[in-house]
């Protein structure tokens, strides 16, 4: 009987110990509670570049420029983001505006490999002056009908006209398709009813591609690399009478702004929050039509006559350009915690 009692006691201890150990294992494997979801984030950054090129056309007269942006974001879910933002860049415009100040906002829904972006973007160019006919100068503005009989003044050197206000807005839709960890392709569409306040509608569409190198391409240095490019087409309507050609039976009330193709290709190197991008930009716009489109205040006479550029002045603002840009980009949730 004593042996039986001892055996029963031992079995009870073993059973109790096993249950206790199993309970410990269950508690040890229990997943920790997920961190609280914070929907708010802020992205911001800036950069310096050897030339500010926008859709193949320099905005800084092929001179260095600086830029910065600030973008609050609200993540409704992990696949739906709302955002607003502002940015500023130094420029050199014909109307003497020295800065571009942008305001934008939109929504970014994501469905698996498809990342969409829909929004509005406003481009403001404060500090501009009017360079038009004597009539428009006397009126103190650059709008309304122009009496060409009053004579023309325009910009020094070439007589190009430029409105005091070049501000405009665009609606846009974008799609990025993430094929895998290395390849992404994009499709972009922008529309403005009055591009650069020329009086002409503008429509820009482009396709993009980006290859991101494996993270180990430079060993354990932390340096990354990518190669990317874009091909786009900019279409325009007809300008208002401010840019018309006096006495011309076709263009007296405005010119058909020249549409053109543009492309860029470049390589970038990343390290932590910094990016060095080296890029080549170009267009197929000839120098005469480039002058008519941009009202370049540095354009010189070269005999580049076209139907919308009867003065023969030419601009190199739409020609090939190599651009080096050093920038930094951060988000509060990723970099400031």
């Amino acid at each position: 009987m004593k042996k039986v009692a001892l055996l029963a006691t031992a079995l009870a201890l073993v059973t109790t110990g096993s249950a206790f150990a199993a309970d410990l294992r269950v508690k040890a494997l229990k997943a920790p509670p997920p961190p609280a979801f914070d929907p708010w984030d802020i992205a911001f950054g800036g950069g310096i570049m050897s030339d500010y090129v926008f859709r193949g056309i320099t905005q800084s007269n092929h001179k260095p420029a600086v830029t910065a942006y600030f973008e609050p974001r609200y993540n409704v879910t992990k696949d739906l983001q709302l955002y607003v933002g502002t940015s500023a860049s130094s420029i050199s415009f014909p109307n003497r505006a020295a800065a571009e100040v942008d305001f934008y906002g939109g929504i970014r829904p994501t469905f698996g490999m498809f990342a969409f972006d829909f929004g509005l973007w406003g481009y403001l160019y404060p500090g501009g002056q009017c360079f038009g006919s004597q009539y428009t100068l006397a009126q103190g503005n650059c709008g309304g009908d122009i009496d060409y009989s009053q004579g023309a003044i325009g910009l020094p050197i070439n007589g190009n006209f430029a409105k005091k206000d070049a501000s405009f807005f665009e609606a846009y839709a974008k799609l990025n398709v993430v094929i895998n960890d290395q390849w992404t392709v994009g499709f972009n569409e922008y529309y403005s009813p009055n591009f650069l306040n020329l009086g002409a509608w503008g429509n820009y569409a482009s396709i993009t591609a980006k290859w991101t190198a494996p993270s180990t391409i430079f060993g354990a240095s932390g340096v990354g690399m990518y190669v990317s490019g874009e091909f786009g087409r900019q279409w325009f309507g007809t300008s208002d009478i401010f840019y018309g050609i006096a006495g011309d039976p076709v263009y007296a009330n405005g010119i058909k702004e020249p549409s053109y193709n543009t492309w860029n290709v470049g390589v970038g190197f990343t390290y932590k929050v910094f990016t060095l991008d080296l890029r080549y930009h170009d267009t197929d716009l000839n120098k005469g039509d480039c002058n008519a489109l941009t009202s370049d205040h540095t354009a010189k006479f070269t005999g580049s006559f076209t139907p919308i550029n009867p003065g023969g002045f030419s601009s190199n603002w739409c020609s090939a350009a190599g651009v080096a840009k050093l920038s930094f980009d951060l988000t509060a949730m990723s970099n400031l915690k």
Side-chain angles (χ1 to χ4, degrees):
M1 289 295 293
K2 189 178 290 186
K3 288 182 178 180
V4 172
L6 289 173
L7 180 60
T9 302
L11 286 171
L13 288 172
V14 169
T15 304
T16 303
S18 298
F20 181 68
D23 188 51
L24 283 177
R25 284 196 296 272
V26 169
K27 289 181 179 178
L29 294 174
K30 187 176 180 181
F37 176 68
D38 187 352
W40 289 100
D41 202 355
I42 297 175
F44 60 96
I48 182 170
M49 45 200 160
S50 60
D51 191 356
Y52 174 18
V53 177
F54 177 70
R55 298 178 190 170
I57 301 176
T58 180
Q59 310 292 286
S60 59
N61 191 24
H62 291 307
K63 299 293 194 301
V66 294
T67 185
Y69 73 94
F70 178 80
E71 184 183 293
R73 300 169 174 175
Y74 182 79
N75 297 295
V76 181
T77 68
K78 67 181 183 65
D79 295 320
L80 182 61
Q81 182 181 88
L82 307 177
Y83 65 94
V84 294
T86 183
S87 64
S89 302
S90 59
I91 60 173
S92 179
F93 262 28
N95 68 354
R96 302 297 190 264
E100 174 187 316
V101 181
D102 301 340
F103 295 93
Y104 60 92
I107 182 171
R108 296 179 179 131
T110 300
F111 303 94
M113 64 190 292
F114 302 101
F116 294 89
D117 189 352
F118 306 99
L120 289 173
W121 197 294
Y123 304 79
L124 306 179
Y125 304 96
Q129 301 176 38
C130 176
F131 295 92
S133 70
Q134 292 180 4
Y135 174 76
T136 54
L137 292 176
Q139 294 297 310
N141 62 71
C142 291
D145 293 338
I146 299 170
D147 181 1
Y148 286 104
S149 67
Q150 298 294 318
I153 295 178
L155 287 154
I157 302 177
N158 52 45
N160 283 338
F161 289 174
K163 291 181 179 179
K164 178 179 180 179
D165 184 13
S167 303
F168 71 105
F169 75 91
E170 288 183 315
Y172 58 87
K174 307 178 188 179
L175 169 62
N176 273 337
V177 182
V178 181
I179 299 173
N180 53 42
D181 290 342
Q182 292 182 274
W183 284 99
T184 303
V185 296
F187 306 90
N188 309 287
E189 168 66 25
Y190 296 79
Y191 177 79
S192 172
N194 186 6
F195 188 86
L196 277 174
N197 199 24
L198 296 172
W201 57 263
N203 185 78
Y204 179 73
S206 74
I207 56 174
T208 63
K210 182 178 181 179
W211 175 75
T212 302
S215 59
T216 56
I217 189 169
F218 294 110
S221 65
V223 176
M225 187 187 81
Y226 64 84
V227 177
S228 64
E230 177 181 21
F231 179 85
R233 174 77 175 173
Q234 178 75 65
W235 292 272
F236 289 116
T238 300
S239 77
D240 57 33
I241 194 173
F242 181 83
Y243 295 100
I245 302 172
D248 189 297
V250 178
Y251 300 116
N253 293 319
I255 64 171
K256 178 65 174 70
E257 299 289 354
S259 301
Y260 66 94
N261 297 320
T262 180
W263 53 91
N264 69 75
V265 62
V267 58
F269 302 92
T270 61
Y271 180 72
K272 295 184 178 179
V273 301
F274 298 99
T275 300
L276 174 63
D277 188 276
L278 307 174
R279 191 157 301 273
Y280 170 84
H281 298 261
D282 206 352
T283 75
D284 63 356
L285 198 57
N286 66 65
K287 293 186 176 184
D289 286 346
C290 180
N291 179 59
L293 173 63
T294 64
S295 293
D296 177 2
H297 58 288
T298 67
K300 295 179 174 56
F301 179 80
T302 61
S304 299
F305 297 101
T306 72
I308 60 173
N309 189 59
F313 287 85
S314 68
S315 170
N316 69 349
W317 282 12
C318 312
S319 57
V323 179
K325 180 179 180 181
L326 179 63
S327 60
F328 67 94
D329 301 276
L330 304 94
T331 60
M333 294 297 292
S334 300
N335 304 109
L336 300 182
K337 277 194 164 186

